[in-house]
Amino acid sequence: MMWWPLRRKEGSGFSSCSTAEEVTEGIDATAVTAIITGASCGIGAETARVLAMRGAHLIMGVRNMNAAKHVKEAILKEISTAKVDVMDLDLSSMASVRKFASEFISSGLPLNILINNAGIFGTPFMLSEDNIELQFATNHLGHFLLTNLLLDTMKKTAHESKKQGRIVNVSSQGHHFTYREGILFDKINDQSSYQKFRAYGQSKLANILHANELARLLKEDGVDITANSLHPGAISTNIHRHNSVLTALPGVVNMLLRLFIKNVQQGAATTCYVALHPQVTGISGAYFADSNLSKANSLGRDTDLAKKLWDFSMNLIK
């Protein structure tokens, strides 16, 4: 239960305490096909459950196939009519991303919504199989490539269905804690410059800049697809699972912290809101938090930095 002052509702009518089910209540997504990455646990799994509950045909792109199959089974047990498929996807591998996209395109399915949700946090310095720093490769570049490969399918779907497509990048308030320059273009793979939490912030800033530049390009091309980013909130399960300092805190302090952080149902709300709610129709290049319009930091609103990241990322995926 979050502290009562945080329950204040903003313009959307929702607050930090709203759940994914609440922000999608009454929405019919039976004509929608959606891909979500990283749906084998946490807010990704809850996002998948609620989208399936609203009738969407869901494709879960995951690295942990066994965990994802358990999520699928749980969804089908609760919602017998749910349409859920599980496909293998390792976002740290460009070969895996290309294989996933190729298999999805070959299926002939439409694609209305792409939710770039998967991510890793605060890992020690490692390089991906493509020799790119692992957090940047997984959190940003894999999603950048995936979006690029699926964009033609989304454009075709939007045109044929006359229904606006939506691309949703799950970022984080962690983008505030990136490196001073924002993105270390010349030192992406430099171990001596690497700080694991700043590298996470860098990858989350990249999620925002990617959505912003994509929104600009889609608008320029007159394509009826929006691209937005969001902060899901501090989620209790993730914080307590990965942060040994918090786990070791006295019980009273831990209890007080829980007043300011969200459960999984609340953590998935903003993603579901941006992906499905009619209030978001036509909004593109925006940043959301607590199921309301919010504001990224100055680096996250830097159009030149967004263009530079776009060109840098295009060169990497080539």
Side-chain angles (χ1 to χ4, degrees):
M1 186 75 66
M2 295 185 74
W3 191 34
W4 67 265
L6 302 182
R7 297 166 178 266
R8 183 164 56 92
K9 294 183 178 180
E10 304 292 345
S12 69
F14 303 113
S15 74
S16 58
C17 291
S18 300
T19 66
E21 286 192 27
E22 288 168 351
V23 303
T24 58
E25 187 175 356
I27 294 175
D28 180 4
T30 52
V32 167
T33 302
I35 288 175
I36 177 170
T37 67
S40 59
C41 63
I43 63 171
E46 176 65 3
T47 302
R49 184 187 74 84
V50 173
L51 262 63
M53 175 184 285
R54 301 307 175 212
H57 180 183
L58 204 64
I59 293 88
M60 298 164 57
V62 297
R63 187 174 57 177
N64 189 332
M65 292 289 284
N66 285 332
K69 284 172 184 174
H70 287 305
V71 172
K72 176 181 176 179
E73 287 169 6
I75 291 172
L76 290 172
K77 188 175 180 180
E78 179 187 354
I79 311 150
S80 60
T81 57
K83 295 170 284 185
V84 184
D85 295 311
V86 178
M87 292 175 63
D88 184 56
L89 173 62
D90 179 355
L91 284 151
S92 72
S93 162
M94 285 196 259
S96 176
V97 173
R98 291 183 188 281
K99 182 173 182 287
F100 174 92
S102 176
E103 289 178 355
F104 177 79
I105 292 166
S106 296
S107 74
L109 287 169
L111 182 58
N112 305 92
I113 297 170
L114 172 61
I115 302 175
N116 293 319
N117 167 79
I120 56 174
F121 171 71
T123 58
F125 180 82
M126 287 182 276
L127 293 178
S128 71
E129 67 179 46
D130 303 297
N131 290 316
I132 298 162
E133 187 276 307
L134 194 63
Q135 291 193 82
F136 189 82
T138 304
N139 297 353
H140 165 63
L141 197 65
H143 285 128
F144 181 89
L145 175 59
L146 180 66
T147 304
N148 184 276
L149 294 172
L150 295 176
L151 206 49
D152 281 345
T153 301
M154 291 197 74
K155 289 177 181 178
K156 183 177 181 223
T157 302
H159 176 74
E160 292 179 352
S161 68
K162 302 294 187 287
K163 186 178 181 69
Q164 190 171 76
R166 297 188 186 187
I167 296 167
V168 183
N169 283 0
V170 179
S171 180
S172 167
Q173 281 292 88
H175 78 275
H176 285 272
F177 307 107
T178 184
Y179 299 103
R180 189 172 50 121
E181 304 91 331
I183 309 286
L184 297 183
F185 294 105
D186 298 327
K187 297 181 179 179
I188 283 291
N189 296 337
D190 180 15
Q191 186 170 358
S192 66
S193 304
Y194 184 77
Q195 299 176 55
K196 62 183 181 180
F197 298 122
R198 292 197 182 278
Y200 174 75
Q202 172 179 252
S203 70
K204 295 288 100 180
L205 172 63
N207 292 152
I208 297 170
L209 295 172
H210 170 215
N212 291 353
E213 180 64 4
L214 180 57
R216 187 188 71 80
L217 293 169
L218 290 168
K219 185 176 181 181
E220 194 176 81
D221 292 343
V223 178
D224 195 18
I225 300 172
T226 62
N228 293 296
S229 58
L230 63 94
H231 168 53
I235 316 301
S236 59
T237 52
N238 288 344
I239 287 174
H240 287 270
R241 186 171 67 242
H242 297 301
N243 195 317
S244 58
V245 175
L246 282 180
T247 305
L249 286 173
V252 173
V253 179
N254 240 317
M255 185 177 69
L256 288 171
L257 280 173
R258 286 182 178 274
L259 297 176
F260 295 91
I261 53 184
K262 298 182 179 183
N263 59 34
V264 170
Q265 292 75 26
Q266 293 164 337
T270 306
T271 305
C272 290
Y273 175 77
V274 177
L276 287 183
H277 206 284
Q279 289 177 353
V280 186
T281 302
I283 298 175
S284 195
Y287 178 73
F288 291 80
D290 298 332
S291 301
N292 279 277
L293 281 166
S294 188
K295 199 173 185 180
N297 69 2
S298 58
L299 288 168
R301 304 191 305 273
D302 188 326
T303 55
D304 291 333
L305 187 62
K307 290 174 188 174
K308 186 175 181 181
L309 175 66
W310 185 276
D311 294 339
F312 180 74
S313 302
M314 287 297 289
N315 285 330
L316 286 177
I317 65 173
K318 287 175 185 175

